């Protein structure tokens, strides 16, 4: 593919033409949610206009057409992460995917599921290992699972530079470890974590691996089966796709061993008043009416990303991130979080402005039409680790330009002078 031309791509994202507070919109909040190209908006609208119908039911023509489009979408999204269609479960997003896994393992732990489910069951004293840099979505479901099962939660610490301490991981991950859950890329630090090493450590002790791919799937080429991870989640809305839909990838044998989380229609074979038999994956995990329109929009999103090329996206965003970091390091009073040397990154930086609250900094940027995220970004423990409660995060995507970064840097230079901080 040709190198990425963000100016040409911007024409595909109508919202980028908006004015905000009298300025052109500089959207640097794609790690929270990405903007959506016309191709995605059109795909959902075309489906709803011409083929809308409930899938996997009904004998009528539209139902069959909708089912084909829905299953084509599954194949497209599965293929985007290197997987087979049966390995891709539709969820409402990454949070739901992680909760699905944690609740399903909880069900296995009380003896529910097929005989194969026993291998996933947790008993008191078993250990769940996660990291100190997780988004709350990959932390609290494990806290809850530990509380329900008597398992013990342990955390791989991060070093001051934001990298995970693999030596500590090698000690923490022991024969008592049953689950290792970690993020591929932190939504605060932007560092690509050594996930192959974590998976290898987990595999040595037979633990199940769960990866949060929210912040990697939009930015890096992924081959989840090749990586060897057991389960992984991502959200369409961060991948230029719609809200309300996401993917849970699973290794076939792991998905087959996992009992259901939500139950009801669309996930059963036979039902009596007293019991039910469940469909195999992925339908076993898709109780209720499926998110057909969003899934079709999601497929259009991954086709869009593929057409631009994930290598191109990664290179472009890496260039923007490097420019951001160079500029930010030169501004007095700015402390970058996770400014580790020699690591692979995606295009986001979080930083603290000495003497200015993140929310005030964010407001000043907003007055110039620059959209960034402020707060703890759903990673409060990580902020505590750095002795702060909030930071400013700028996150780039394929449609951001060097001009976006330069306008942002110029505005950041003005923050401390504006608030009269020396
Ligand atoms: N994990 C990470 C790393 C994230 O950045 C996010 C979104 N901020 C989530 C999980 C949760 O994703 P969602 O809100 O789409 O469920």
């Amino acid at each position: 593919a040709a190198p990425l031309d963000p100016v040409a791509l911007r024409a595909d994202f109508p919202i980028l033409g908006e004015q905000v507070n009298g300025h052109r919109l500089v959207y640097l909040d794609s790690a929270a949610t990405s903007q959506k190209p016309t191709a995605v908006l059109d795909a959902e609208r075309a489906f709803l206009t011409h083929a809308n119908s409930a899938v996997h039911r009904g004998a009528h023509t539209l139902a069959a057409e909708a089912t084909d489009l829905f299953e084509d979408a599954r194949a497209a999204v599965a293929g985007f992460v290197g997987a087979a269609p049966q390995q891709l479960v539709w969820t409402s997003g990454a949070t739901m995917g992680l909760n699905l896994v944690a609740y399903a393992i909880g069900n296995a732990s009380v003896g529910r599921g097929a005989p194969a489910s026993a291998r996933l069951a947790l008993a008191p004293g078993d250990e769940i290992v996660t990291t100190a840099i997780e988004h709350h979505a990959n932390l609290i479901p494990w806290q809850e699972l530990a509380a329900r099962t008597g398992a013990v939660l342990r955390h791989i610490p991060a070093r001051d530079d934001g990298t995970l301490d693999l030596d500590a991981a090698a000690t923490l991950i022991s024969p008592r470890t049953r689950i290792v859950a970690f993020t591929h890329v932190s939504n605060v630090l932007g560092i690509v974590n050594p996930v192959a090493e974590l998976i290898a450590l987990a595999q040595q002790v037979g633990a199940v691996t769960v990866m949060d791919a929210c912040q990697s799937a939009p930015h890096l080429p992924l081959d989840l089966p090749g990586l060897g991870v057991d389960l992984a989640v991502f959200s369409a809305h961060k991948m230029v796709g719609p809200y309300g839909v996401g993917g849970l990838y699973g290794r076939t044998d792991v998905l087959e061993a996992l009992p259901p989380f939500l139950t009801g229609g669309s996930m059963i074979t036979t039902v009596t008043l007293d019991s039910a038999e469940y469909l195999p994956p992925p339908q076993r995990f898709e109780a209720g009416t499926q998110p057909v329109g969003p899934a079709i929009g999601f497929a259009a999103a991954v086709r869009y990303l593929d057409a631009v090329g994930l290598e191109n996206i990664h290179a472009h965003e890496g260039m923007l991130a490097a420019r951001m970091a160079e500029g930010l390091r030169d501004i007095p009073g700015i402390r970058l979080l996770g400014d580790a040397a020699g690591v692979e990154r995606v295009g986001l930086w979080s930083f603290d402005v000495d003497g200015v609250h993140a929310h005030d900094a964010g407001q000043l940027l907003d007055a110039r039409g620059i959209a960034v995220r402020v707060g703890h970004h759903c990673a409060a423990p990580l902020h505590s680790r750095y002795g702060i409660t909030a930071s400013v995060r700028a996150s780039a995507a394929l449609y951001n330009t060097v001009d976006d970064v330069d306008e942002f840097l110029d505005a950041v230079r003005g923050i401390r002078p504006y608030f009269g901080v020396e």
Side-chain angles (χ1 to χ4, degrees):
L4 186 157
D5 175 3
V7 177
L9 291 184
R10 289 172 76 83
D12 298 332
F13 294 81
I15 200 170
L16 297 176
E18 293 287 310
Q19 296 276 309
V20 172
N21 296 323
H23 295 267
R24 93 176 170 88
L25 169 64
V26 174
Y27 189 75
L28 290 171
D29 198 17
S30 294
T33 201
S34 61
Q35 299 302 350
K36 330 295 178 197
T38 310
V40 169
L41 309 179
D42 287 352
E44 232 181 312
R45 190 180 175 87
F47 167 71
L48 293 171
T49 307
H50 302 293
N52 180 48
S53 184
V55 302
H56 292 304
R57 299 163 215 238
H60 60 83
T61 302
L62 276 190
E65 207 177 309
T67 303
D68 285 349
L69 288 168
F70 180 61
E71 293 303 330
D72 283 354
R74 188 192 304 275
V77 174
F80 183 75
V81 294
Q86 300 77 8
Q87 297 181 301
L88 193 277
V89 177
W90 299 118
T91 64
S92 66
T95 303
M96 155 122 188
L98 292 163
N99 276 278
L100 185 164
V101 170
Y103 274 90
I105 292 175
N107 290 341
S109 307
V110 293
R112 298 298 299 160
S117 305
R119 71 180 256 220
L120 299 173
L122 297 182
D126 283 346
E127 294 185 358
I128 304 169
V129 173
T130 178
T131 85
I133 66 170
E134 296 307 312
H135 187 282
H136 298 164
N138 200 24
L139 179 62
I140 307 173
W142 306 119
Q143 295 175 352
E144 286 289 325
L145 179 61
R148 281 197 300 278
T149 57
V152 177
L153 193 56
R154 300 203 176 279
H155 306 101
I156 300 167
R159 301 190 190 91
D160 286 345
D161 67 1
T163 55
L164 288 175
D165 186 340
L166 275 184
D167 296 334
T171 320
L172 272 168
I173 298 172
S174 78
R176 277 181 306 201
T177 308
R178 304 299 313 285
I179 300 170
V180 182
F182 49 83
T183 193
H184 195 180
V185 173
S186 149
N187 64 315
V188 176
L189 305 169
I191 297 170
V192 180
N193 289 317
V195 291
E197 285 82 347
L198 291 175
I199 292 165
L201 288 171
Q203 283 175 345
Q204 279 167 23
V205 298
V208 171
T209 49
V210 184
M211 188 168 87
D212 178 349
C214 267
Q215 298 292 348
S216 55
H219 307 296
L220 311 170
L222 283 188
D223 172 10
L224 295 176
L227 187 60
V229 72
D230 292 320
L231 298 156
V233 301
F234 41 92
S235 281
H237 73 93
K238 294 180 195 282
M239 303 166 67
V240 309
Y243 290 109
V245 66
L248 164 66
Y249 157 82
R251 252 178 61 153
T252 303
D253 62 315
V254 177
L255 282 184
E256 281 171 354
L258 206 61
F261 163 39
L262 298 177
T263 54
S266 305
M267 51 81 72
I268 45 81
T269 52
T270 53
V271 181
T272 69
L273 285 179
D274 297 314
S275 67
E277 302 281 336
Y278 303 135
L279 284 165
Q283 281 78 20
R284 183 192 300 164
F285 305 105
E286 297 178 354
T289 303
Q290 298 83 352
V292 186
I296 288 166
F298 194 2
V302 299
R303 288 185 181 117
Y304 185 91
L305 293 176
D306 262 340
V308 178
L310 270 288
E311 294 287 0
N312 292 331
I313 292 172
H314 187 37
H316 174 70
E317 293 170 352
M319 178 276 290
L320 295 177
R323 192 178 181 94
M324 249 187 227
E326 266 171 48
L328 289 169
R329 285 190 201 107
D330 279 348
I331 304 174
I334 299 289
R335 175 170 61 129
L336 290 171
L337 306 185
D339 194 5
V343 295
E344 194 183 356
R345 318 187 52 95
V346 301
L348 74 85
W349 285 101
S350 298
F351 56 93
D352 177 52
V353 186
D354 185 35
V356 180
H357 195 280
H359 289 81
D360 293 330
Q363 258 180 18
L364 196 67
L365 299 187
D366 180 56
R368 289 182 57 169
I370 301 166
V372 295
R373 173 92 186 254
V374 297
H376 56 49
H377 323 306
C378 302
L382 176 56
H383 281 78
S384 304
R385 162 82 173 67
Y386 284 115
I388 52 180
T389 55
S391 64
V392 181
R393 180 184 70 193
S395 52
L398 62 169
Y399 40 67
N400 286 114
T401 60
V402 164
D403 280 353
D404 288 344
V405 171
D406 290 349
E407 281 182 42
F408 157 77
L409 289 172
D410 191 52
V412 175
R413 257 176 230 115
I415 295 174
R416 291 175 86 241
Y418 178 87
F419 288 103
V421 182
E422 288 302 309

